[in-house]
C-alpha cells in the first residue's frame, strides 16, 4: 500500500514522471511533488471545494483522487489559467468586483467556473449560485463572487461575438 | 465618500494589490512554505471528554520506519513553561495549563501525544499505533451539569467550574423595576460555533542551533505577541525568536493565541535540531482548535406602558469549554459592557458567569460580543410584544438622539460621533415598513409566514490602552508604524498588524499615500515579520483601520513634514509653510492655487540619503520615520440591519427575501474593501444563526467533526446584501476613521432572529434559541399547535389546528434535536 510506484502525470500540458505511494492523494502530489501549490487543501473530505482542479476538463476534487489513478488523464490547475500578465475574464472580474478576500478558496472557484462558463455561457444568477454551492467561502458571503461570475460570462460572450 | 471629501487617496475604491497572486495560484500560505529536511507531526488526541491518562505505550509507533519519535506531556513539560493566566480581575480564578496534558484529558480531541515522522502519511500511521490507557471520568458536557453540586471538576486546581463571576450595577435597577408598569423578561440562547477558516491552523518551526534562534512560520493575526509568548514558554529571549506570517487563509479570531500544538512543534524543532511542521486537518480544526459563543442571556426590562425602558438587568452564562487561552471573562465582559448600545438606558445591572465544561476551549470569534445586539433588540421586541406596541416605535422612544451625545453608558463607556437613530431610519425607509406590513397581513391570510427583523448595532471597534487598563487586562491598544522613503523615492512602510485575508495591503497603502502625499502604487506595506515590523498589537477586534491605518497615516504625515523641510531649503525658503507633497511632487501655494515647484520626492530623497551635507541645520540624513499611536479608549461604529424572511411552514425553511444594512463606520480607507467586510460579516452571522452548530452529546462526544456535519452556508443560503453607507467621522481619531467588520455579525444574528419571531408572532411563539435550523423551526411550529400547511394567520391566538404534522414527513419529525427548541 505504501511502497512507492512510478506515476506519469500530464498537468497543464506537461508530462511529469514521479515516484509516489499509490495511496498518495492527487492534491498532495500536485503540491509536494510537482510544487504546484496553487491548489489548496481545505477539508480533505470533498466538501469545501478548495482543491478543485480540472480532470479532462471537468471540475473534480483533487483531495478525493489518488494521483496513481490519473495516468492517461489530462489535469489542469490554477497555474494554467492566466497567461503571463493576462488574467482570464473570470480572474479579471473577480479582481474588479472584489470577489475574493483571503484567497484560499479562490483557485477552486476559478477552476469550477472556467469549466462551467465554457459550457454554460449565459447562466442565471440562480444557476451560478447553485453551482457555486460546491465551493465554500468563509470571507465574502459569495455576493461579489456571483457578480463577478455573471460579469465574466458577459465579457466572454461579448468577446466571442467580436 | 461624499464628493467634498478632504482626501485624495483615502476613500478611493481601489481593487486590491494581493488579488493577482491569489487569483493565479501564487499566494504563499503556510503549507506552501517548504524547508529541506522538515519533519511532520501528527497529534494523538483523546477519544474521551474527561479521563485520567494512566499509560502511554508508543513502542509500536516508534518502531515504524520513518518515525523519528513520539513525545508526551511529560517531555514537553521539560522543554516548555506552562501558561499561567492570572490577571488581577475580581471574580476570575487564576488558571494554568501545561503544553500538553500530563495526567488528565479534559475534552474529546485534547492532544495527549505527538508523533514526529518523515512525512504526514507515516506520522498518521504511527499515531494509530500509539496506545493510550485512559481511566474515564464523569464529564460536565454543559453548564447546568458543570454548575451542579458535586459536579466533575474540569480543572482540578479550582474549587468549582465557575471560573469567572462578575456583577455590576449602575443607577437603581430595583427602584426602576418597582416603578415600572411592567417587567418584561426575555431569553436568548446562542449556541456553540467555531471559526472555520478555510485554511486550518499549522506552523513550520525552524530552530537554528548555531545561532540559537527560532524562526516560526505561522499564520498569526498577532506576530509580536506571538513572538513574546513563544520566547517566554520556551525559556529564551525575544531576540532569539522571529515570527513570520505568510498569507493567511482566514483567521476570524482563531489565529491569535499560541496554541499548545504550535508550542509543541517549536519545542520539537529545538529538541531535534530539525525543521518541524504541522498541518492541522479539518477534523482537528472543528474539534480541537477553538470554539466560540454558547452564551445564554436573560434580560429583565422595567418598562413604562409606552415602551420606554426605565431599567435593564442582564444575566449571562457562557460555556467556556475546558481550557482558558484567554481570561475567561474576556468575551462575556464586552457583551455586558456595551449591551445598552444604541438606547438611552442609565439604570443597568449585570451578572456574568463563565463556566468550564469538558469541551474545546472558547476564544474570540469575529464579534466576540456577537450576541449583544440580538439580546438588546430582542428585548425591545419582547417589550413591544408584551405591551402590544409597534416594535419600531419602541426603538424610537428608547433611541439615543443626536442631542444625547456624547452619552456615557451605565458601564462608563462613552459614545460619541455615532448615529444609531439615523441608521434605523435609513434602514426603515429603505424597507418601506408600512408596505411590508401590508404584504405581511395579506400573506398571513393566505397561510404564509412573513417576518421583518430590525437590529441596531453599536459596535466596539478599536480598543485603546485606556480600555485595557480600566478592564484590568494586561496589554495595550497602541500601534506602531514606520515609513521609509528609499533613496529612489519609493516608499516602504510597516505596521504591527497582520491581515488574515481582509486585504490590508491596499487600504493601508492608501493611508500612507494620503499622509505622505504620494500615489498608493508607490507604497509597499510590509506586515507579518517581527524583524521587519515594529512591535504592534496585531489584528483583533476591528482595530485594523483606526489603529493600523491611523498610525500609518500619522507616521506618513510626520515623514511628509521632513520631506517638506528639506524641499524648503532646496527652494531657498525659510520654512515649509505653503508647501505640500502631492502625488510625489512638491507643490507651493501661490495665491489660490497649488503650483509645481519642479522638485519631486525623488529629488528630496536623493538629497536626504546621498547629499546629507546639503541638508539644512537640524535635519538628520535619511528619510526614515517611526511613530506610535494610542487610539481613544474605545471607538464605535453603528448600523441598523433589516431583514425580511418567509418561513415555509411545512419544512421549516427560512428564505431571506431582503437584507439591508445602513452602516456608519466613519471615514473609510477603501470602500470596496469595507463593503466586502460588511457583506462577509453578515454572511458569517447568518450562517451561524441558521445552520452552523458544534454539537456535543451528553458524554461530551463531538458530533460535528466534518464539514458535512458542521454546515457552513453556501451561495444558495445567503442573500444579496444591500448596504446604505453613512460616514460620520470620529473627531478623535486620525482622518476620522472608526473601524468595522464585526458589527455585521452582531446585526445579522439579531435581525434574523427578529424576523423569524415576527413571522411566528401570530402563532404565539418566539425564536429564543439558535440555530434557526429547519428542525428548530418545525419544533416551534409544532409547539404552536401541531400546525400544518393551509392554516391562515390573520387572527393571532386562534391558529391551533388538530392536524398532526407527523403525517407530513417534515425534516423535524425524525430529528432528535427538535425537543431543544
Amino acid at each position: 500500500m505504501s511502497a512507492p510506484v512510478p506515476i506519469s502525470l500530464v498537468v497543464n500540458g506537461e508530462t511529469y514522471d514521479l515516484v509516489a505511494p499509490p495511496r498518495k492523494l492527487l492534491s498532495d502530489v500536485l503540491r509536494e511533488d510537482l510544487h504546484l501549490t496553487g491548489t489548496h487543501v481545505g477539508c480533505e473530505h470533498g466538501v469545501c471545494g478548495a482543491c478543485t482542479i480540472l480532470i479532462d476538463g471537468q471540475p473534480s476534487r483533487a483531495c478525493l483522487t489518488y494521483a496513481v489513478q490519473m495516468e492517461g488523464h489530462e489535469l489542469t490547475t490554477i497555474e494554467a489559467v492566466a497567461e503571463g500578465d493576462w488574467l482570464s475574464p473570470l480572474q479579471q472580474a473577480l479582481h474588479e468586483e472584489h470577489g475574493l478576500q483571503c484567497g484560499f478558496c479562490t483557485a477552486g472557484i476559478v477552476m469550477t467556473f472556467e469549466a462551467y462558463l465554457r459550457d454554460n455561457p449565459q447562466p442565471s444568477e440562480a444557476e451560478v449560485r447553485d453551482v457555486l454551492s460546491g465551493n465554500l467561502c468563509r470571507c465574502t458571503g459569495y455576493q461579489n463572487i456571483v457578480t463577478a461570475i455573471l460579469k465574466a460570462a458577459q465579457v466572454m460572450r461579448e468577446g466571442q461575438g467580436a | 465618500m461624499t464628493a467634498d471629501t478632504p482626501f485624495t487617496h483615502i476613500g478611493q475604491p481601489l481593487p486590491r494589490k494581493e488579488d493577482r497572486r491569489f487569483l493565479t495560484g501564487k499566494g504563499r500560505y503556510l503549507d506552501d512554505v517548504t524547508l529541506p529536511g522538515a519533519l511532520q507531526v501528527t497529534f494523538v488526541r483523546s477519544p474521551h471528554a474527561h479521563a485520567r491518562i494512566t499509560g502511554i505505550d508508543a513502542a509500536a509507533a516508534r518502531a515504524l520506519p520513518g518515525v523519528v519519535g513520539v513525545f508526551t506531556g511529560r517531555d514537553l513539560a521539560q522543554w516548555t513553561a506552562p501558561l499561567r493566566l492570572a490577571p488581577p480581575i475580581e471574580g476570575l480564578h487564576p488558571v494554568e495549563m501545561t503544553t500538553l496534558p500530563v495526567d488528565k484529558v479534559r475534552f474529546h480531541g485534547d492532544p495527549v501525544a505527538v508523533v514526529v515522522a518523515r512525512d504526514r502519511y507515516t506520522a498518521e500511521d504511527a499515531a494509530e499505533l500509539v496506545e493510550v490507557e485512559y481511566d474515564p471520568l464523569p464529564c460536565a458536557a454543559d453548564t447546568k451539569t458543570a454548575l451542579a453540586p458535586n459536579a466533575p471538576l474540569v480543572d482540578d486546581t479550582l474549587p468549582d467550574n465557575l471560573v469567572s463571576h462578575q456583577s455590576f450595577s449602575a443607577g437603581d435597577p430595583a427602584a426602576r423595576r418597582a416603578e415600572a408598569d411592567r417587567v418584561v423578561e426575555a431569553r436568548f440562547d446562542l449556541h456553540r460555533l467555531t471559526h472555520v477558516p478555510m485554511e486550518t491552523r499549522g506552523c513550520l518551526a525552524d530552530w537554528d542551533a548555531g545561532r540559537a534562534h527560532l524562526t516560526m512560520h505561522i499564520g498569526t493575526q498577532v506576530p509580536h505577541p506571538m513572538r513574546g509568548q513563544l520566547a517566554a514558554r520556551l525559556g529564551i529571549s525575544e531576540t532569539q525568536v522571529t515570527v513570520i506570517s505568510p498569507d493567511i487563509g482566514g483567521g476570524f479570531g482563531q489565529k491569535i493565541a499560541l496554541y499548545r500544538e504550535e508550542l509543541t512543534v517549536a519545542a520539537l524543532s529545538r529538541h531535534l535540531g530539525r525543521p518541524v511542521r504541522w498541518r492541522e486537518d479539518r477534523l482537528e480544526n472543528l474539534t480541537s482548535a477553538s470554539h466560540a459563543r454558547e452564551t445564554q442571556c436573560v434580560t429583565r426590562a422595567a418598562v413604562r406602558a409606552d415602551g420606554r425602558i426605565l431599567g435593564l438587568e442582564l444575566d449571562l452564562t457562557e460555556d467556556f469549554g475546558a481550557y482558558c487561552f484567554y481570561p475567561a471573562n474576556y468575551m462575556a465582559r464586552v457583551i455586558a459592557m456595551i449591551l445598552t448600545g444604541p438606547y438611552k438606558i442609565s439604570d443597568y445591572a449585570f451578572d456574568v458567569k463563565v463556566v468550564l465544561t469538558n469541551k474545546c476551549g472558547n476564544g474570540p470569534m469575529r464579534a466576540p460580543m456577537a450576541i449583544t445586539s440580538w439580546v438588546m433588540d430582542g428585548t425591545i421586541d419582547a417589550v413591544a410584544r408584551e405591551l402590544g406596541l409597534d416594535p419600531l416605535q419602541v426603538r424610537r422612544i428608547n433611541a439615543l438622539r443626536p442631542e444625547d451625545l456624547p452619552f456615557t453608558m451605565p458601564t462608563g463607556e462613552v459614545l460619541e460621533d455615532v448615529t444609531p437613530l439615523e441608521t434605523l431610519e435609513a434602514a426603515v425607509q429603505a424597507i418601506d415598513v408600512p408596505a411590508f406590513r401590508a404584504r405581511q397581513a395579506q400573506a398571513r391570510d393566505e397561510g404564509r409566514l412573513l417576518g421583518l427583523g430590525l437590529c441596531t448595532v453599536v459596535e466596539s471597534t478599536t480598543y485603546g490602552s485606556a480600555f485595557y487598563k480600566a478592564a484590568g487586562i494586561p496589554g495595550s491598544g497602541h500601534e506602531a508604524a514606520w515609513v521609509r522613503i528609499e533613496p529612489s523615492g519609493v516608499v516602504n512602510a510597516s505596521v504591527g498588524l497582520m491581515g488574515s485575508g481582509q486585504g490590508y495591503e491596499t487600504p493601508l497603502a492608501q493611508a500612507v499615500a494620503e499622509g505622505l502625499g504620494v500615489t498608493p502604487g508607490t507604497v509597499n506595506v510590509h506586515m507579518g515579520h517581527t524583524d521587519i515590523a515594529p512591535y504592534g498589537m496585531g489584528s483583533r477586534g476591528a482595530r485594523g483601520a483606526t489603529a493600523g491605518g491611523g498610525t500609518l497615516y500619522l507616521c506618513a504625515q510626520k515623514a511628509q513634514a521632513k520631506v517638506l523641510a528639506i524641499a524648503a531649503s532646496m527652494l531657498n525658503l525659510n520654512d515649509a509653510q505653503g508647501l505640500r507633497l502631492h502625488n510625489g511632487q512638491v507643490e507651493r501655494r501661490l495665491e489660490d492655487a497649488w503650483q509645481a515647484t519642479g522638485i519631486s520626492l525623488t529629488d528630496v530623497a536623493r538629497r536626504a540619503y546621498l547629499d546629507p551635507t546639503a541638508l539644512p541645520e537640524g535635519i538628520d540624513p535619511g528619510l526614515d520615520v517611526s511613530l506610535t499611536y494610542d487610539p481613544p479608549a474605545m471607538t464605535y461604529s453603528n448600523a441598523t440591519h433589516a431583514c425580511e424572511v418567509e418561513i415555509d411552514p411545512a419544512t421549516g425553511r427560512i428564505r431571506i427575501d431582503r437584507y439591508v444594512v445602513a452602516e456608519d463606520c466613519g471615514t473609510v480607507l477603501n470602500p470596496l474593501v469595507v463593503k466586502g467586510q460588511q457583506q462577509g460579516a453578515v454572511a458569517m452571522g447568518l450562517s451561524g444563526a441558521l445552520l452552523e452548530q458544534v454539537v456535543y452529546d451528553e458524554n461530551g462526544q463531538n458530533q460535528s467533526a466534518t464539514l458535512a456535519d458542521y454546515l457552513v452556508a453556501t451561495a444558495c443560503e445567503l442573500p444579496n446584501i444591500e448596504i446604505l453607507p453613512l460616514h460620520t467621522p470620529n473627531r478623535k481619531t486620525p482622518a476620522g476613521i472608526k473601524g468595522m467588520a464585526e458589527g455585521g455579525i452582531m446585526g445579522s444574528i439579531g435581525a434574523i432572529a427578529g424576523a423569524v419571531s415576527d413571522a411566528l408572532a401570530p402563532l404565539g411563539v418566539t425564536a429564543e434559541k439558535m440555530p434557526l435550523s429547519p428542525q428548530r423551526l418545525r419544533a416551534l411550529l409544532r409547539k404552536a399547535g401541531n400546525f400544518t400547511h393551509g392554516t391562515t394567520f390573520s387572527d393571532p391566538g386562534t391558529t391551533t389546528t388538530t392536524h398532526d404534522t407527523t403525517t407530513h414527513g417534515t425534516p423535524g419529525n425524525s430529528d432528535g434535536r427538535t425537543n431543544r427548541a
Side-chain angles (χ1 to χ4, degrees):
Chain A
M1 175 182 72
S2 57
V5 298
I7 303 173
S8 181
L9 296 178
V10 177
V11 185
N12 301 333
E14 284 192 43
T15 302
Y16 295 85
D17 293 307
L18 59 122
V19 175
R23 67 170 175 171
K24 191 160 185 178
L25 298 174
L26 178 58
S27 50
D28 287 344
V29 165
L30 288 172
R31 295 178 47 79
E32 295 172 8
D33 298 77
L34 308 189
H35 308 293
L36 295 170
T37 56
T39 299
H40 296 152
V41 175
C43 72
E44 295 178 288
H45 51 260
V47 177
C48 80
C51 68
T52 303
I53 64 161
L54 303 187
I55 300 175
D56 299 327
Q58 295 307 313
S60 309
R61 303 290 205 234
C63 80
L64 296 183
T65 308
Y66 295 112
V68 73
Q69 294 173 282
M70 288 297 104
E71 292 213 344
H73 295 277
E74 291 211 5
L75 310 180
T76 311
T77 68
I78 185 67
E79 285 85 355
V81 176
E83 289 174 26
D85 285 343
W86 179 87
L87 295 178
S88 77
L90 177 57
Q91 289 171 317
Q92 184 65 33
L94 284 163
H95 173 57
E96 290 168 3
E97 297 299 326
H98 189 27
L100 64 154
Q101 290 185 24
C102 82
F104 201 79
C105 70
T106 304
I109 289 172
V110 170
M111 299 317 290
T112 301
F113 280 90
E114 289 289 344
Y116 181 76
L117 293 180
R118 177 196 65 208
D119 299 338
N120 303 273
Q122 199 154 2
S124 68
E125 180 182 336
E127 286 165 341
V128 167
R129 283 185 176 271
D130 184 45
V131 174
L132 185 56
S133 69
N135 295 79
L136 295 182
C137 169
R138 193 58 160 161
C139 298
T140 64
Y142 307 103
Q143 184 169 346
N144 291 350
I145 302 175
V146 173
T147 305
I149 291 167
L150 292 170
K151 181 178 183 174
Q154 186 183 348
V155 168
M156 289 164 74
R157 285 196 305 273
E158 287 165 1
Q160 302 252 307
Chain B
M1 302 299 295
T2 52
D4 60 349
T5 170
F7 303 114
T8 306
H9 303 296
I10 286 179
Q12 295 300 314
L14 300 183
R16 304 189 320 164
K17 292 183 174 192
E18 45 273 83
D19 285 356
R20 176 168 287 271
R21 66 178 187 267
F22 296 157
L23 283 163
T24 55
K26 298 290 192 292
R28 188 172 287 194
Y29 301 87
L30 189 271
D31 217 38
D32 306 335
V33 179
T34 54
L35 285 175
L39 299 168
Q40 274 273 6
V41 307
T42 289
F43 290 89
V44 178
R45 296 183 182 274
S46 168
H48 298 287
H50 198 195
R52 298 264 166 228
I53 304 168
T54 56
I56 299 178
D57 179 358
R62 287 196 182 98
L64 198 70
V67 171
V68 173
V70 180
F71 304 93
T72 67
R74 290 189 197 285
D75 300 311
L76 271 300
Q78 296 174 47
W79 307 331
T80 57
L83 172 66
R84 182 169 172 78
L85 282 183
I89 296 170
E90 199 187 340
L92 177 70
H93 287 294
V95 291
E96 188 171 303
M97 77 172 100
T98 55
T99 301
L100 291 180
V102 174
D103 47 21
K104 188 176 103 158
V105 290
R106 299 191 198 171
F107 74 94
H108 175 203
D110 214 351
V112 287
V114 58
V115 176
V116 188
R118 68 185 167 203
D119 62 71
R120 191 164 169 241
Y121 289 72
T122 306
E124 294 197 359
D125 286 347
E128 294 282 313
L129 299 174
V130 176
E131 297 283 347
V132 184
E133 276 182 46
Y134 296 98
D135 182 9
L137 298 167
C139 88
D142 55 59
T143 56
K144 194 175 165 204
T145 309
L147 290 177
N150 303 317
L153 266 185
V154 176
D155 183 334
D156 294 342
T157 67
L158 300 185
D160 55 41
N161 294 317
L162 185 60
V163 66
S164 179
H165 185 196
Q166 280 96 25
S167 299
F168 169 88
S169 183
D172 193 345
R176 298 294 86 75
R177 226 183 307 131
E179 73 197 30
D181 292 316
R182 187 89 66 102
V183 176
V184 176
E185 186 172 286
R187 293 176 175 275
F188 309 88
D189 185 339
L190 184 58
H191 55 297
R192 200 166 194 82
L193 294 173
T194 185
H195 311 61
V196 198
M198 294 315 300
E199 182 198 35
T200 54
R201 296 180 299 162
C203 60
L204 169 57
D206 185 17
W207 178 256
D208 178 339
R211 291 166 59 230
H213 193 97
L214 174 71
T215 301
M216 187 74 162
H217 302 267
I218 180 168
T220 175
Q221 300 171 226
V222 293
H224 289 92
M226 171 67 70
R227 182 187 70 180
Q229 280 283 309
L230 279 166
R233 303 281 303 276
L234 290 167
I236 56 181
S237 118
E238 279 184 293
T239 61
Q240 293 174 278
V241 181
T242 301
V243 171
I244 303 174
S245 182
D247 288 325
I248 303 181
F252 313 110
Q254 198 175 70
K255 294 172 181 173
I256 294 175
L258 170 62
Y259 292 101
R260 300 175 296 169
E261 295 92 339
E262 296 155 356
L263 179 60
T264 297
V265 169
L268 285 169
S269 178
R270 188 183 183 197
H271 176 71
L272 298 167
R274 296 268 299 269
V276 179
R277 72 182 315 140
W278 171 55
R279 186 179 87 205
E280 181 184 52
D281 68 23
R282 185 56 68 184
L283 183 148
E284 292 178 289
N285 182 261
L286 288 167
T287 57
S288 310
S290 177
H291 289 171
R293 322 256 197 261
E294 192 151 24
T295 306
Q296 296 171 315
C297 292
V298 179
T299 56
R300 286 177 297 281
V303 292
R304 274 193 329 228
D306 63 357
R308 176 77 180 111
I309 296 174
L310 305 174
L312 182 68
E313 294 162 87
L314 165 74
D315 295 338
L316 181 153
T317 307
E318 179 181 350
D319 182 331
F320 206 67
Y323 290 101
C324 300
F325 291 94
Y326 302 85
N329 69 332
Y330 186 62
M331 286 84 80
R333 177 190 175 82
V334 179
I335 298 167
M337 293 273 290
I338 67 167
L339 178 68
T340 57
Y343 301 106
K344 194 173 174 179
I345 296 169
S346 297
D347 299 79
Y348 171 60
F350 66 71
D351 185 73
V352 172
K353 292 177 176 151
V354 183
V355 184
L356 294 183
T357 59
N358 292 113
K359 297 175 182 168
C360 178
N362 265 20
M365 174 172 159
R366 191 178 198 175
M369 63 300 198
I371 197 174
T372 309
S373 303
W374 177 31
V375 174
M376 190 62 239
D377 266 37
T379 298
I380 296 258
D381 284 334
V383 169
R385 261 195 313 274
E386 286 215 15
L387 298 178
L389 300 171
D390 176 356
L392 182 53
Q393 286 310 321
V394 179
R395 282 170 172 77
R396 285 178 176 140
I397 198 173
N398 286 292
L400 282 174
R401 295 175 178 278
E403 60 269 26
D404 297 322
L405 301 177
F407 180 75
T408 303
M409 288 196 264
T411 50
E413 293 294 302
V414 179
L415 292 176
E416 52 193 325
D417 300 327
V418 293
T419 56
L421 189 58
E422 286 92 326
T423 56
L424 174 66
E425 298 300 349
V428 160
Q429 190 179 6
I431 286 284
D432 190 350
V433 174
F436 172 81
R437 291 294 176 211
R439 283 202 304 283
Q440 183 183 42
Q442 189 183 350
R444 282 176 180 169
D445 288 341
E446 298 163 4
R448 292 163 53 217
L449 296 168
L450 269 60
L452 171 66
L454 295 171
C455 186
T456 297
V457 178
V458 170
E459 174 192 1
S460 47
T461 51
T462 318
Y463 296 57
S465 296
F467 177 87
Y468 289 105
K469 180 90 175 171
I473 302 170
S476 168
H478 83 277
E479 194 47 66
W482 57 254
V483 171
R484 205 150 60 207
I485 298 139
E486 304 296 349
S488 61
V490 298
V491 183
N492 280 309
S494 186
V495 67
L497 306 178
M498 180 60 205
S500 45
Q502 302 91 332
Y504 283 173
E505 291 169 35
T506 306
L508 294 182
Q510 289 173 259
V512 172
E514 188 73 46
L516 180 57
V518 297
T519 54
T522 62
V523 180
N524 200 355
V525 182
H526 303 265
M527 286 166 284
H529 191 307
T530 54
D531 293 350
I532 295 171
Y535 192 104
M537 306 315 295
S539 298
R540 49 174 57 171
R543 71 192 299 274
T546 312
T551 307
L552 280 166
Y553 176 69
L554 294 175
C555 189
Q557 285 185 324
K558 188 176 167 186
Q560 182 180 196
K562 182 170 182 183
V563 167
L564 294 180
I566 297 169
S569 82
M570 294 169 79
L571 290 163
N572 295 317
L573 300 172
N574 290 331
D575 56 39
Q577 194 82 34
L579 294 182
R580 74 170 186 183
L581 190 62
H582 185 70
N583 290 339
Q585 299 295 320
V586 177
E587 295 178 346
R588 187 176 181 189
R589 186 100 179 160
L590 288 172
E591 289 162 8
D592 287 340
W594 290 101
Q595 299 202 346
T597 62
I599 293 179
S600 70
L601 179 60
T602 308
D603 299 327
V604 175
R606 202 174 294 130
R607 174 159 298 197
Y609 282 95
L610 306 176
D611 192 9
T613 58
L615 291 172
E617 183 94 11
I619 300 277
D620 295 329
L623 286 171
D624 187 348
V625 173
S626 60
L627 180 140
T628 60
Y629 165 66
D630 199 352
M634 186 68 79
T635 61
Y636 291 93
S637 284
N638 61 276
T640 298
H641 293 232
C643 174
E644 287 183 32
V645 300
E646 176 163 1
I647 297 170
D648 180 343
T651 64
R653 176 176 180 237
I654 298 168
R655 191 186 68 216
I656 298 171
D657 287 333
R658 193 158 178 217
Y659 202 102
V660 175
V661 185
E663 180 152 341
D664 187 343
C665 50
T667 300
V668 302
L669 296 175
N670 181 323
L672 194 71
V673 169
V674 166
K675 196 170 175 185
Q677 291 301 306
Q678 290 166 327
Q679 292 170 347
V682 170
M684 186 178 260
L686 291 175
S687 180
L690 295 172
L691 295 163
E692 298 171 31
Q693 184 176 22
V694 175
V695 179
Y696 282 95
D697 71 11
E698 66 276 15
N699 299 314
Q701 290 289 306
N702 190 311
Q703 309 283 298
S704 47
T706 77
L707 289 177
D709 301 291
Y710 187 90
L711 300 177
V712 172
T714 76
C716 291
E717 288 87 42
L718 293 172
N720 284 318
I721 296 149
E722 302 165 48
I723 310 275
L724 308 170
L726 285 75
H727 298 291
T728 308
N730 183 313
R731 284 169 291 180
K732 290 190 174 162
T733 63
I737 304 165
K738 289 177 173 172
M740 54 90 231
E742 295 195 314
I745 304 267
M746 304 165 73
S748 55
I749 292 174
I752 189 75
V756 168
S757 289
D758 185 48
L760 298 177
L763 303 170
V765 289
T766 305
E768 294 179 340
K769 279 187 96 157
M770 291 199 177
L772 301 168
S773 58
Q775 294 91 330
R776 172 142 303 124
L777 266 289
R778 279 295 308 146
L780 280 171
L781 289 161
R782 280 197 302 278
K783 183 178 160 191
N786 286 345
F787 157 75
T788 59
H789 218 41
T791 315
T792 61
F793 308 107
S794 52
D795 186 7
T798 62
T799 53
T800 304
T801 71
T802 55
H803 301 291
D804 183 353
T805 53
T806 54
T807 58
H808 289 252
T810 50
N813 295 325
S814 58
D815 187 285
R817 290 190 272 166
T818 51
N819 58 4
R820 290 191 193 171

